[in-house]
């Protein structure tokens, strides 16, 4: 069940990141790629890193 939630949120998260990337890329493409990398790390830390460790 957790994977279904992660995939569902991941899809919408990716859509939002894509639209924000397109907006930032109009200004500076390298800055937009930095945003994508930071967004991916944030998603990974939020959904996959266990805080109980």
């Amino acid at each position: 069940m957790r994977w279904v939630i992660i995939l569902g949120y991941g899809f919408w998260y990716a859509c939002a990141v894509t639209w924000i990337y397109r907006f930032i890329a109009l200004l500076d493409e390298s800055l937009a790629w930095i945003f994508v990398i930071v967004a991916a790390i944030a998603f990974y830390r939020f959904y996959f890193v266990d805080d109980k460790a």
Side-chain angles (χ1 to χ4, degrees):
M1 184 64 186
R2 181 178 180 216
W3 286 104
V4 173
I5 294 171
I6 290 173
L7 290 175
Y9 280 120
F11 173 76
W12 292 111
Y13 190 81
C15 289
V17 168
T18 300
W19 281 104
I20 295 170
Y21 167 80
R22 288 181 180 180
F23 178 74
I24 296 174
L26 294 174
L27 306 173
D28 184 10
E29 191 169 353
S30 61
L31 185 66
W33 277 112
I34 293 171
F35 165 75
V36 169
I37 292 168
V38 170
I41 292 170
F43 184 80
Y44 171 78
R45 288 193 50 97
F46 186 75
Y47 283 104
F48 293 105
V49 175
D50 191 6
D51 293 332
K52 298 174 185 174

